[in-house]
Amino acid sequence: MIGEPRLGDVFGEMIRDAYAVATGVGPRPLVGGRLPRPVIEIIERDDGLVNGAPTEHYLAGPADWQPYDRRAVDRVHGRTLDVGVGGGRIALHLQERGVPVTGLDTSLGALRVCRHRGLRDLVHGTVDEHAADGPRYDTFLLLGNNVGLFEGRERAPAFLAALAALARPGARIIAHGTDPYGTTDPVHVGYHELNRRRGRLGGQLRLRLRYRELGTEWFDYLVCSVAEFAELVHGTPWRLTDVDDTDAPYYLATLTLRR
Ligand SMILES: C[S@@+](CC[C@H](N)C(=O)[O-])C[C@H]1O[C@@H](n2cnc3c(N)ncnc32)[C@H](O)[C@@H]1O
């Protein structure tokens, strides 16, 4: 249909261009301009809201991280799976520190950038697919707001079961989330209400990403309060053992595998 995006690896194309702008390496170092310009992630929500977000932070080193990212990596122990590794910023830092780390992502383009940046151990696919491969981990990272990958009430139990299947005894999940409910913006408050009316969690976003001519399918990405998060974890193989909300509305939740 005219005007509809072509389905493709939006995140991968975007991160490839962001990497090219940052380093000069890649097919579009100037992103089609005469001077370098920022690569913007276009996020469409199903109420019609469109947001643009700069992408350099996906490649940033520890000096430019938010404080909760630094506290998250300090909690890592043992063999680590970075779930939704993106441009590899966290996994690369861990690898440099000698931590055995694997980066997993559904975006081939993102994994290509990670490999070019020197990240050695990479897996393409979902946690469910990786569970069949056999490796076991002590730490799972869900950073860069990747509590989002819980999606909502339907997906969360299966997602946590897949992580449990990949876990060694005593394993932990360190997940970064954002409480969306502090806002007074009527557009967001109205969207949360709409979601609840249709039986979804208030911050269960229905999104599509766009970059240039490409778009993703519509998918659910969860932003939720700590109380909602605790509710999703209840009855799964995981226990919520710590919440660090020093930088509220952002939080780091630690889940520990039940014995
Ligand atoms: C918001 S970015 C976060 C990237 C990285 N964790 C960071 O902190 O910079 C989300 C990443 O998760 C990946 N992703 C999305 N859905 C996924 C899934 N079901 N399984 C694994 N990775 C996924 C995306 O391709 C993207 O690289």
Side-chain angles (χ1 to χ4, degrees):
M1 198 214 294
I2 289 172
E4 277 301 292
R6 185 160 65 78
L7 287 179
D9 181 6
V10 172
F11 196 88
E13 292 289 304
M14 187 187 80
I15 205 82
R16 184 195 66 185
D17 279 357
Y19 184 63
V21 168
T23 63
V25 176
R28 307 182 65 244
L30 301 179
V31 199
R34 286 168 190 253
L35 295 169
R37 51 185 192 204
V39 174
I40 303 294
E41 179 174 21
I42 301 294
I43 306 164
E44 281 185 79
R45 203 169 65 181
D46 67 343
D47 60 343
L49 183 79
V50 178
N51 260 320
T55 51
E56 318 88 72
H57 68 98
Y58 287 123
L59 302 167
D64 296 314
W65 289 355
Q66 296 299 320
Y68 46 78
D69 284 329
R70 285 195 284 274
R71 293 200 300 279
V73 301
D74 286 345
R75 288 170 182 226
V76 165
H77 81 288
R79 191 162 178 199
T80 298
L81 184 67
D82 188 345
V83 180
V85 64
R89 64 187 180 103
I90 303 279
L92 271 169
H93 173 72
L94 290 172
Q95 181 178 279
E96 279 160 22
R97 286 195 347 189
V99 174
V101 60
T102 301
L104 174 140
D105 210 289
T106 47
S107 162
L108 274 174
L111 293 175
R112 236 175 264 126
V113 167
C114 286
R115 186 163 298 112
H116 201 272
R117 298 181 82 196
L119 197 55
R120 289 189 291 272
D121 197 11
L122 295 164
V123 174
H124 179 234
T126 62
V127 288
D128 314 72
E129 289 159 356
H130 189 40
D133 297 339
R136 296 291 175 262
Y137 299 92
D138 302 295
T139 303
F140 300 93
L141 292 175
L142 290 169
L143 300 184
N145 247 336
N146 261 349
V147 159
L149 299 184
F150 278 53
E151 295 182 15
R153 290 191 192 96
E154 292 74 24
R155 170 67 179 148
F159 184 70
L160 286 170
L163 291 181
L166 284 162
R168 285 183 178 155
R172 290 191 301 201
I173 301 171
I174 299 158
H176 170 231
T178 307
D179 185 325
Y181 302 124
T183 182
T184 54
D185 182 333
V187 173
H188 294 309
V189 173
Y191 186 70
H192 299 156
E193 283 165 5
L194 167 70
N195 263 343
R196 291 191 187 103
R197 281 200 301 279
R198 52 188 185 175
R200 295 159 65 85
L201 290 168
Q204 188 172 346
L205 311 181
R206 187 95 185 133
L207 303 177
R208 173 168 80 167
L209 304 181
R210 304 279 299 263
Y211 185 64
R212 284 166 53 84
E213 85 287 17
L214 296 181
T216 64
E217 303 269 18
W218 290 94
F219 61 94
D220 283 352
Y221 196 74
L222 183 65
V223 285
C224 64
S225 66
V226 171
E228 288 172 327
F229 186 75
E231 189 72 23
L232 292 174
V233 172
H234 188 75
T236 73
W238 300 90
R239 265 182 323 124
L240 179 60
T241 47
D242 188 67
V243 176
D244 169 352
D245 60 0
T246 314
D247 302 309
Y250 307 110
Y251 57 87
L252 282 178
T254 302
L255 305 180
T256 306
L257 188 67
R258 290 179 193 278
R259 286 172 212 274

